[in-house]
Amino acid sequence: MTDPTPASRPPSTTGATPRPGADPTTPDDAATAGGDMSDLDARYGRSGRSRRPVVIGVVAVIVAVGLAWLVWAAFVQSTPPVTSRLIGFEITSPTSVKATIEVDKSESTEASCRLQAKAADFSIVGELTITVPADSPRHQTVPATLTTQRAATSVVLIGCTTPDNPRPH
């Protein structure tokens, strides 16, 4: 016959004493490794639900809103209500400069275009603001004559603005 209590126990692999009522031949790590995860969740106060789907959903919403704003801002800024460019200028006298600008605007938008005449030392020697009425053609060439304090060497178009958009374009 065999004795129900062995004379010697095999040593534990972790070096810890076995739990009361546990099989002394099985180490604790082996018992918990294959055990039920809900026991561990209950022991350490973890819920069975993960927060990962909620976090991914929130991040996806933030990214979608940011992308929509980026597309909207790019579209609005890429189509200003008025654009302009300097076609050319001619220095007619030491106190006068003629310039020609091209203005493209929305049909019912009034535009104000600002020109500056500059001297050789880059100081501003003359300035003129031209108003393009709302009922004028959308694409037009506008001549301007600037009166200067002294001889100018160049003309610079600062840009055109509208009552709704004070940033020159």
Side-chain angles (χ1 to χ4, degrees), residues 33-80:
D36 191 11
M37 288 303 288
S38 63
D39 291 341
L40 291 175
D41 290 340
R43 177 185 292 170
Y44 295 111
R46 295 183 292 201
S47 65
R49 299 179 63 201
S50 174
R51 292 184 194 168
R52 182 171 281 159
V54 173
V55 170
I56 290 173
V58 168
V59 169
V61 167
I62 291 171
V63 167
V65 168
L67 194 59
W69 176 83
L70 182 66
V71 168
W72 173 80
F75 177 73
V76 167
Q77 291 301 317
S78 68
T79 55

